[in-house]
């Protein structure tokens, strides 16, 4: 395709899913008004959810989901060998996501409860970078299509790509929302990475941190804020554990 | 067909999730026809244990990336019934409009992106964008309208943010509602275009009699709650969902199978139509008649047409729901509640069929036990036995291996399976 007379090469892309709801891949088919233009930038080589054509010569692999079974490890390693750039796509791929909530339960008990005596293989939920090197992360549950478009265009035009470093509160304030702490809710906005346009607090529900921690957060100060507001530390813990994005901040266990 | 043939489709494309089809013919006889679900299990029923009820709908919506609103509302309905919470009427209408948006989005996605390429011999919708641009545009316009309805009512197209216990946390503005009303009127020509396009396609002839399961409330086409009914005359209370599913495990599948009065049963748009066709809007009824779709229809390929008919119903019904909201002051949208111990089922008609969440809470409002039964789980056995009958029919009609394979993948796709959902 051409842009202002310059030829732009399409990028060969593959989209793959592991243990997940496939909601992040589905976002690729959203924002219908820009969809034909967006697809015009891509040479889709492998995307099982929407195409029966399967080729193994992609440069970028979008990988959705977490890893919970041995055959997934093998499949992921093959994708890594092929892809020049491997993108962890969505919170499950970036942090283990909601799937990590099952890691608290002994696997034997979970299988017995759901499947009875049937033999079913499952392992604790792992993020993609636990298995293979990841070149770029696009967090979100689901990912934001706008952000994905921006990043794909950046890659194609060889421009630097990055995620916002600041917390959700910045976007939330710009949308003139009433702070959820003032409404008596524990909101993870002060410590979570922005880029979602503060969609949850704008809908008057607290941020659960699906995009993981913002950069250089002051975690102890956040814990203190919850305490000062007289809000429930249990509620805070439940929210911090929701997407497993704050696993590296064990202080909240105290 | 050759005397021996093996059709082995690993990770069937253009469906949500991972499933395999295996057909084996030996000495001119069908030896095996299997629908094998190989999706990795996630154990949502265990994850919600010990979680505060108010958080649970946000977790269970993550069971599915296509029908997250249905999952959220099934949990909300189960928990509200368990804790005896009655949401305000305004919230009830907003939730219903959200279901309309999700169903339209999901049906458009299936009809255009997943099913249509088979009819046009294309591997995906991408080449169709070039060969039939006006058709793909119509599909995108419908899908976008569905998403816009969901965004306005729940804050986001996938994984709703404002559906909460006791009501909704935010109502759409009147301005937004007026825009949506306008959008519905403007997009009707795209729906008509879609209808004409589907009229040009020839659907395979195949009948295997089965039992169709759906909700029924007697007054409206079903979306949220009601009696559980079957075309074999079974009627059960919403809380008796277990008698309507009878889940069992099979060796070759990580998703369970179900049955009611027969070997298998079916849920989805065709099941809803077969049980509730009289409650469709007048335009939807006309479209159904023009396609020769009438109850009881036992051709699973007609599920595509039933989805199209439901899109017509959604256009009519969404408009009247918006009018009701425009007449409302939109102030009373959420009631506070006191957590309590209880147990109940929430049944909703997800785009792919009746979805059950059963929830049990303790006195602090924490979930102590949960059970989710997914529409695709209820279709697995039907798909499995249909594949057997369809392969037999293809064999009798002397179809080639390639023709048989195509018929089989089209059959599975016509159920619009949501496999990762079914292995939650």
């Amino acid at each position: 395709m051409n842009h202002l007379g310059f030829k732009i090469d399409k990028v060969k892309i593959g989209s793959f899913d592991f243990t997940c709801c496939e909601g992040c891949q589905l976002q690729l088919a959203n924002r219908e008004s820009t969809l034909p233009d967006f697809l015009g930038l891509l040479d889709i080589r492998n995307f099982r959810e929407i195409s029966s054509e399967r080729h193994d010569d992609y440069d970028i692999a979008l990988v959705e989901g977490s890893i919970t079974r041995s055959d997934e490890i093998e499949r992921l390693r093959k994708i890594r060998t092929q892809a020049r750039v491997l993108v962890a796509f969505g919170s499950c791929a970036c942090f283990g996501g909601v799937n990590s909530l099952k890691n608290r339960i002994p696997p034997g008990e979970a299988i017995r409860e759901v499947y009875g005596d049937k033999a079913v293989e499952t392992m604790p939920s792992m993020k993609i970078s636990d298995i293979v090197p990841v070149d770029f992360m696009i967090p979100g549950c689901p990912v934001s299509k706008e952000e994905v478009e921006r990043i794909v265009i950046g890659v194609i035009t060889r421009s630097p790509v990055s995620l916002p470093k600041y917390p959700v509160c910045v976007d939330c304030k710009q949308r003139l929302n009433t702070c959820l702490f003032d409404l008596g809710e524990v909101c993870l906005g002060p410590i979570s990475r922005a880029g979602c346009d503060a969609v949850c607090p704008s809908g008057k529900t607290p941020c659960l941190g699906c995009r993981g921690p913002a950069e250089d957060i002051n975690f102890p100060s956040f814990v203190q804020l919850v305490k000062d507001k007289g809000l429930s530390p249990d509620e805070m813990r439940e929210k911090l554990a929701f997407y497993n994005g704050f696993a590296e901040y064990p202080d909240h266990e105290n | 067909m050759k005397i021996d043939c093996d059709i082995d489709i690993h990770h069937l494309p253009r469906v949500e999730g991972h499933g395999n089809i295996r057909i084996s013919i030996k000495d001119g006889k069908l030896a095996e026809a299997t629908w094998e679900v190989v999706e990795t299990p996630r154990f949502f029923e265990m994850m919600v244990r010990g979680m505060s009820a108010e958080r649970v709908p946000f977790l269970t919506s993550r069971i599915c990336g296509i029908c997250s609103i249905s999952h959220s509302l099934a949990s909300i309905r189960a928990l509200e019934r368990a804790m005896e919470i009655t949401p305000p009427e305004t919230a009830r209408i907003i939730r219903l409009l959200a279901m309309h948006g999700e169903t339209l989005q999901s049906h458009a996605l299936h009809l255009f992106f997943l099913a249509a390429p088979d009819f046009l011999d294309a591997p995906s919708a991408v080449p169709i964008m070039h060969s039939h641009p006006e058709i793909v545009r119509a599909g995108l316009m419908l899908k976008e309208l569905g998403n816009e309805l969901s965004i306005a009512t729940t804050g986001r197209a996938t994984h709703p943010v404002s559906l909460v216990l006791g009501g909704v946390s935010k109502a759409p503005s009147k301005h937004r509602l007026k825009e949506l009303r306008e959008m519905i009127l403007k997009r009707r020509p795209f729906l008509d275009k879609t209808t004409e396009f589907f009229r040009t396609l020839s659907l395979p002839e195949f009948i295997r009699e089965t039992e169709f399961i759906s909700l029924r409330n007697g007054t409206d086409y079903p979306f949220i709650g009601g009696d559980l009914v079957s075309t074999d005359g079974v009627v059960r209370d919403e809380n008796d969902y277990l008698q309507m599913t009878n889940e069992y495990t099979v060796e070759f599948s990580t998703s369970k199978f179900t049955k009611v009065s027969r070997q298998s049963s079916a849920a989805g748009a065709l099941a809803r139509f077969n049980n509730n066709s009289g409650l469709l809007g007048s335009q939807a009824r006309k479209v159904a008649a023009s396609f020769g779709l009438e109850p009881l229809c036992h051709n699973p390929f007609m599920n595509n047409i039933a989805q199209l008919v439901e899109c017509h119903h959604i256009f009519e019904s969404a408009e009247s729901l918006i009018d009701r909201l425009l007449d409302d002051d939109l102030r009373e949208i959420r009631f506070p509640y006191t957590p309590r111990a209880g147990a109940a089922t929430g049944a909703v008609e997800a785009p792919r069929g009746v979805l059950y969440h059963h929830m049990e809470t303790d006195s602090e409002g924490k979930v102590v036990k949960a059970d989710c039964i997914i529409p695709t789980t209820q279709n697995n056995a039907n798909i499995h036995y249909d594949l057997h009958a369809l392969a037999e029919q293809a064999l009798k009609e002397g179809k080639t291996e390639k023709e048989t394979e195509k018929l089989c993948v089209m059959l599975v796709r016509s159920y619009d399976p949501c496999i990762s959902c079914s292995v939650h």
Side-chain angles (χ1 to χ4, degrees):
Chain A
M1 69 178 289
N2 280 293
H3 178 64
L4 303 174
F6 293 93
K7 190 174 176 294
I8 293 178
D9 287 328
K10 287 187 178 198
V11 57
K12 288 184 177 171
I13 201 161
S15 184
F16 305 91
D17 44 74
F18 291 87
T19 305
C20 65
C21 75
E22 300 190 9
C24 289
Q25 290 188 94
L26 184 71
Q27 301 313 304
L28 295 172
N30 281 356
R31 275 178 48 98
E32 293 78 359
S33 50
T34 58
L35 188 62
D37 288 340
F38 178 66
L39 290 178
L41 297 170
L42 307 178
D43 179 2
I44 297 173
R45 305 302 289 164
N46 202 320
F47 192 168
R48 185 199 50 77
E49 199 182 9
I50 64 156
S51 177
S52 46
E53 260 183 326
R54 295 185 228 198
H55 306 284
D56 287 327
D57 58 343
Y58 42 87
D59 292 325
I60 298 184
L62 302 179
V63 176
E64 181 184 355
S66 64
I67 301 299
T68 69
R69 207 165 62 188
S70 53
D71 61 320
E72 292 188 320
I73 295 181
E74 204 182 315
R75 196 154 66 87
L76 177 61
R77 286 199 174 127
K78 262 194 196 142
I79 293 168
R80 178 66 273 189
T81 328
Q82 177 55 43
R84 275 168 55 197
V85 175
L86 188 145
V87 180
F89 197 55
S91 305
C92 293
C94 294
F95 318 119
V98 291
N99 293 328
S100 309
L101 289 169
K102 84 167 170 119
N103 296 358
R104 304 172 299 175
I105 307 150
E109 191 187 325
I111 294 168
R112 227 178 1 266
E113 178 75 20
V114 177
Y115 288 97
D117 293 334
K118 183 177 154 68
V120 169
E121 187 198 342
T122 187
M123 334 187 271
S125 169
M126 287 178 281
K127 56 185 183 290
I128 299 302
S129 64
D130 286 339
I131 314 289
V132 295
V134 165
D135 301 300
F136 198 79
M137 299 211 294
I138 306 182
C141 185
V143 295
S144 141
K145 173 78 182 289
E146 261 176 288
E147 185 167 75
V148 175
E149 282 179 6
R150 187 170 56 76
I151 288 166
V152 168
I153 291 166
V155 169
I156 291 172
T157 56
R158 311 290 191 261
S159 317
V161 286
S162 65
L163 301 174
K165 295 185 169 71
Y166 50 85
V168 172
C169 286
V170 175
D171 287 343
C172 194
K173 289 282 169 265
Q174 282 185 346
R175 292 189 65 171
L176 307 175
N177 296 322
T178 305
C179 179
L180 285 160
F181 275 96
D182 291 341
L183 298 175
E185 298 254 24
V186 177
C187 176
L188 301 192
I191 51 171
S192 299
R193 189 186 291 276
C196 54
D197 204 19
V199 61
C200 296
S202 299
K204 285 203 181 151
T205 46
C207 169
L208 296 176
C210 73
R211 295 172 56 85
E215 281 171 37
D216 300 324
I217 58 171
N218 189 341
F219 192 77
S221 157
F222 175 76
V223 176
Q224 193 57 45
L225 171 71
V226 173
K227 238 183 238 168
D228 291 350
K229 292 268 179 188
L231 299 170
S232 150
D234 280 347
E235 192 181 324
M236 178 187 74
R237 274 193 281 272
E238 195 171 273
K239 289 177 179 176
L240 285 165
F242 205 85
Y243 294 105
N244 208 38
F246 292 88
E248 283 150 35
Y249 294 86
D251 289 355
H252 66 266
E253 295 298 341
N254 302 324
Chain B
M1 196 191 288
K2 282 187 300 180
I3 298 200
D4 289 307
C5 100
D6 280 301
I7 296 171
D8 188 357
I9 301 162
H10 183 67
H11 290 186
L12 173 68
R14 294 210 324 276
V15 294
E16 198 280 354
H18 301 90
N20 304 337
I21 297 174
R22 236 199 286 281
I23 310 278
S24 166
I25 290 160
K26 299 246 176 319
D27 298 329
K29 285 215 172 74
L30 183 66
E32 185 198 358
T34 311
W35 168 236
E36 188 184 62
V37 172
V38 290
E39 191 75 25
T40 45
R42 290 173 292 163
F43 301 99
F44 270 92
E45 285 129 333
M46 300 301 284
M47 290 183 211
V48 299
R49 278 206 189 166
M51 188 172 269
S52 320
E54 63 167 312
R55 210 100 48 238
V56 165
F58 293 99
L59 177 57
T60 52
S61 83
R62 268 75 188 176
I63 290 176
C64 183
I66 302 179
C67 56
S68 53
I69 290 175
S70 298
H71 279 281
S72 171
L73 286 174
S75 278
I76 288 174
R77 184 167 168 85
L79 290 164
E80 284 181 346
R81 279 157 51 88
M83 302 202 284
E84 296 176 17
I85 305 165
T86 310
E89 176 62 10
T90 309
R92 200 187 65 79
I93 301 171
I94 294 171
R95 289 173 178 181
L96 200 49
L97 190 56
M99 286 293 284
H100 282 55
E102 176 167 277
T103 307
L104 181 59
Q105 168 270 131
S106 176
H107 285 357
L109 179 79
H110 177 247
L111 289 171
F112 288 91
F113 283 82
L114 310 182
D118 282 327
F119 293 100
L120 300 173
D121 272 322
S124 75
V126 178
I128 307 177
M129 281 185 184
H130 302 292
S131 61
H132 300 72
E134 72 297 351
I135 298 301
V136 175
R137 185 167 140 77
L140 289 174
M141 290 288 120
L142 298 185
K143 187 167 161 300
E144 185 174 62
L145 174 61
N147 278 336
E148 288 301 320
L149 288 168
S150 301
I151 295 166
T153 48
T154 75
R156 185 156 59 187
T158 307
H159 300 325
V161 304
S162 54
L163 299 176
V164 295
L165 288 188
V168 295
S169 59
K170 194 178 182 183
S173 68
K174 294 256 170 145
H175 174 71
R176 190 85 176 90
L177 288 166
K178 280 181 198 147
E179 279 178 354
L180 287 174
R181 203 179 184 288
E182 192 71 9
M183 200 172 174
I184 292 174
L185 296 175
K186 281 203 180 130
R187 302 230 164 159
R188 191 173 274 285
F190 294 109
L191 179 60
D192 295 335
K193 176 128 215 141
T194 305
T195 311
E196 289 322 306
F197 167 65
F198 274 86
R199 223 182 277 293
T200 63
L201 308 179
S202 64
L203 268 60
E205 292 289 332
F206 169 70
I207 303 275
R208 187 183 71 88
E209 285 206 7
T210 192
E211 181 177 16
F212 292 95
I213 316 287
S214 79
L215 292 178
R216 189 169 66 198
N217 60 42
T219 52
D220 298 299
Y221 199 76
F223 282 97
I224 302 173
D227 282 338
L228 319 177
V229 301
S230 95
T231 48
D232 284 356
V234 180
V235 181
R236 301 257 183 229
D237 181 80
E238 201 168 333
N239 283 334
D240 295 331
Y241 74 106
L242 286 175
Q243 292 165 35
M244 215 57 172
T245 45
N246 308 300
E247 276 193 318
Y248 60 100
T249 57
V250 288
E251 260 324 298
F252 48 84
S253 169
T254 52
S255 177
K256 294 176 187 174
F257 278 31
T258 63
K259 61 179 174 184
V260 189
S261 319
R262 308 181 184 213
Q263 187 182 36
S264 65
S265 60
L270 188 58
R272 282 191 289 268
F273 175 86
N274 278 334
N275 281 310
N276 296 279
S277 62
L279 296 166
L280 284 165
S282 58
Q283 181 62 21
R285 279 205 299 264
K286 256 185 237 160
V287 171
S290 74
F291 277 91
L293 175 63
E294 52 183 51
L296 285 173
C297 171
H298 284 284
N299 180 353
F301 292 97
M302 286 300 273
N303 191 49
N304 294 301
I305 302 305
Q307 288 187 341
L308 178 65
V309 166
E310 288 191 337
C311 291
H312 279 273
H313 177 76
I314 287 165
F315 264 67
E316 294 176 81
S317 172
E319 208 182 309
S320 78
L321 292 175
I322 291 172
D323 284 343
R324 285 173 70 183
L325 291 174
L326 284 170
D327 287 339
D328 192 298
D329 64 11
L330 303 177
R331 291 229 174 99
E332 200 173 65
I333 54 169
R334 184 181 193 175
F335 287 150
Y337 63 89
T338 315
R340 52 176 292 166
T345 307
V348 303
E349 281 288 351
R352 294 164 178 76
V354 58
L355 163 69
Y356 307 107
H357 284 194
H358 184 82
M359 298 275 165
E360 207 176 310
T361 55
D362 66 13
S363 57
E364 289 172 19
K366 295 215 187 291
V367 169
V368 289
K369 201 170 173 13
D371 185 21
C372 308
I373 301 187
I374 311 298
T376 296
T377 307
Q378 300 167 63
N379 278 329
N380 278 328
N382 220 58
I383 294 173
H384 181 74
Y385 293 113
D386 268 4
L387 274 177
H388 202 278
L390 184 66
E392 287 272 20
Q393 178 178 313
L395 191 61
K396 232 181 258 162
E397 290 171 356
K399 301 258 192 241
T400 64
E401 185 171 335
K402 218 170 158 202
E403 287 167 338
T404 306
E405 177 173 328
K406 182 158 183 194
L407 274 173
C408 290
V409 301
M410 283 175 74
L411 171 84
V412 176
R413 285 192 191 117
S414 71
Y415 281 89
D416 193 7
C418 197
I419 302 169
S420 49
C421 215
S422 73
V423 189
H424 45 286

